[in-house]
Amino acid sequence: MTLYWEEEIETLPRIGLESVQLTRLKHLVARVYKTVKPYREKMDAAGVKPEDIQSLADLVKLPFTVKEDLRDNYPFGLFTVPMDQVVRVHASSGTTGKPTVVGYTKKDLKTWSGLMARALTCAGATSKDMIHNAYGYGLFTGGLGAHYGIERLGATVIPVSGGNTKRQITIMQDFKSSVLLATPSYALNLAETMETLGVDPKSLSLRVGVFGAEPWSDNMRDEVERKLNIKAVDIYGLSEVMGPGVSMQCLEGKTGMHIFEDHFLPEIIDPDTGEVLPPGEKGELVFTTLTKEAFPIIRYRTRDISRLIYDTCECGRTLVRMEKVTGRTDDMLIIRGVNVFPSQIEHVLMGTEGVEPHYQIVVNRVGNMDTMDVEVEVSEDIFSDEIKVLEKLGNRIRADIKDMLGVTCKVKLVEPKTIQRSDGKAQRVIDNRKL
Amino acid sequence: MRVEQIAVFLENKSGRLAEITAALAAENINIRALSVADTADFGILRLIVDNVEKAKATLKRNKFTVGITNVIAVEVADKTGGLAGVLKTIEEEKLNVEYMYAFVNNSGENAVLIFRFDDMDKAIESLQRTGYTILSGEQICAL
Ligand SMILES: [Zn+2]
């Protein structure tokens, strides 16, 4: 039998759901127009007023919000409430040096923990569970977002965060962790460490794993399920929209994640034209938040490629499902759970040498570990006839990337024109990971 | 009294050195001295040639990253103690050597030591004062 957190809203017929959405959307647009100057300016430029939103179909009249808008209004420029009402901020890496900052009111945190509890219930978790939260705690939304959802559910949270894998396994054994929350690659890391230590996953109490925050394939899912002897389900979220708990796979359904549509209004658009695509077509996922207070967002372009599935689900939920994200419209990479944009690398290289760099990012997966090599062409501007000068340059680039992006990489100096170019445009990223 | 040296960036790929010497030979450029310094990931080729401008243009045309730096060429008798004597002077004069390499002239009588110092002016002054012969680019090519 399906477990629900809020059965009425999760199984509401579409007509009822749409009426809830429209009421919330009108309220949101009016409030954002009134309180946030950048939104008001964009709407004025597009010639649209809050009262023009009379149906969900009118949503297309509103301008998109993109990551650059967040950067331009760094850090708090898109918040709709005074800072004394903001009780928490989170941040994620932006496309250039500065992070993307989001904020939450008390009510936002209550909404978020409720949605996270709803998501965990989709995965079959209850107040009886011992939930092992291996998402990173900190500015990243994963750890704390999941944490308060687990408490809200009434389950027991083990806030282990990331790292110290051996200790995590001991905790799993001794505390009898029944649900695991982690990135899929960390789950595989746990499985392999267990193998090395001779710990049989069948001797553990683990039943289900809730995995997200990085792309993973169905093959990886099979591997995680087999190696940890659990059922693996997908969770989706992004800090700009809320954090984890925007959508969630249910135990019963075969595919896709239910979008919590009473709070997030999804659209699929053609990434090139911005046109909304007919239901069922693949395109860029766009979200409008319906209930967020401190940091609502209108028509946010996620750059994630997905598809919406409107078929009825075996679990009885009427909430639309989104297919597992199959790619990006930009060239964002996720390296060991950290978002990396080639433009950030470019920014670091510019900062290091003050010249336009020719570079390429080569990503591999060695075992379960992502590796990133940054190949930099040695131009006359940065060339030296002394080995130590070039070595110092490589080391400085590596240190700067580590500082700015939080990712360790290898810097390789290469001869000019060794980097592949197609139609004169350098191919910036070579991702050899088989996902 | 400085000699122009060509430096070329090399990834450690086999065949690149041969490509460079072939490209220079095709333009009738004579290599007087050559040295490769390398690390696990890359190398730097340093060349003394008879026509620096033409060599640079040729290598650039072949898509190499090329730099020109000044070095000092010191002539010493090619016999035991020749190199030791110069090194002793360098130490006594507190000169910092960035790198050095050597070649022997055609007659085989004298060795030519190529130096890059962090303070080139001070090095020239010291070496001349202590009686060493510093060669010009033309002199090297005429050897
Ligand atoms: Zn379902």
Side-chain angles (χ1 to χ4, degrees), chain A residues 19-39:
Chain A
S19 132
V20 170
Q21 288 176 325
L22 180 60
T23 310
R24 290 178 172 177
L25 178 66
K26 283 164 122 174
H27 181 73
L28 165 89
V29 174
R31 188 165 61 87
V32 165
Y33 185 84
K34 203 175 112 198
T35 54
V36 189
K37 195 166 156 241
Y39 274 113

Side-chain angles (χ1 to χ4, degrees), chain A residues 378-380 383-388 390-391 410-418, chain B residues 5 7-11 13 16 37 39 42 44 46 60 65-67 69 98-99:
Chain A
V378 175
S379 64
E380 277 184 29
F383 180 50
S384 161
D385 63 325
E386 290 175 33
I387 292 277
K388 69 174 182 199
L390 289 180
E391 283 190 324
K410 186 172 182 247
V411 172
K412 221 177 130 192
L413 300 178
V414 298
E415 286 176 18
K417 318 295 179 221
T418 43
Chain B
Q5 167 196 262
V8 189
F9 180 78
L10 284 180
E11 276 175 62
K13 280 193 269 181
R16 291 299 268 164
T39 70
F42 65 88
I44 296 168
R46 302 176 187 128
K60 281 186 80 159
T65 298
V66 184
T69 32
E98 300 290 358
Y99 56 80

Side-chain angles (χ1 to χ4, degrees), chain A residues 103-141:
Chain A
Y104 305 81
T105 62
K106 271 185 186 162
K107 185 169 165 245
D108 286 334
L109 291 181
K110 201 173 165 222
T111 306
W112 187 10
S113 63
L115 290 176
M116 199 53 221
R118 193 197 280 185
L120 291 164
T121 308
C122 275
T126 69
S127 61
K128 295 189 178 68
D129 276 300
M130 181 65 79
I131 303 186
H132 193 97
N133 185 16
Y135 284 118
Y137 281 63
L139 281 176
F140 169 59
T141 49

Side-chain angles (χ1 to χ4, degrees), chain A residues 305-323:
Chain A
I305 305 276
S306 183
R307 193 168 71 84
L308 296 180
I309 307 163
Y310 285 93
D311 306 348
T312 352
C313 184
E314 286 88 334
C315 71
R317 289 182 182 85
T318 50
L319 302 167
V320 71
R321 280 172 293 166
M322 59 177 267
E323 201 176 67

Side-chain angles (χ1 to χ4, degrees), chain A residues 88-92 100-104 112 138-141 144-145 239:
Chain A
R88 196 195 302 167
V89 290
H90 279 289
S92 66
T100 301
V101 184
V102 296
Y104 305 81
W112 187 10
L139 281 176
F140 169 59
T141 49
L144 287 169
S239 64

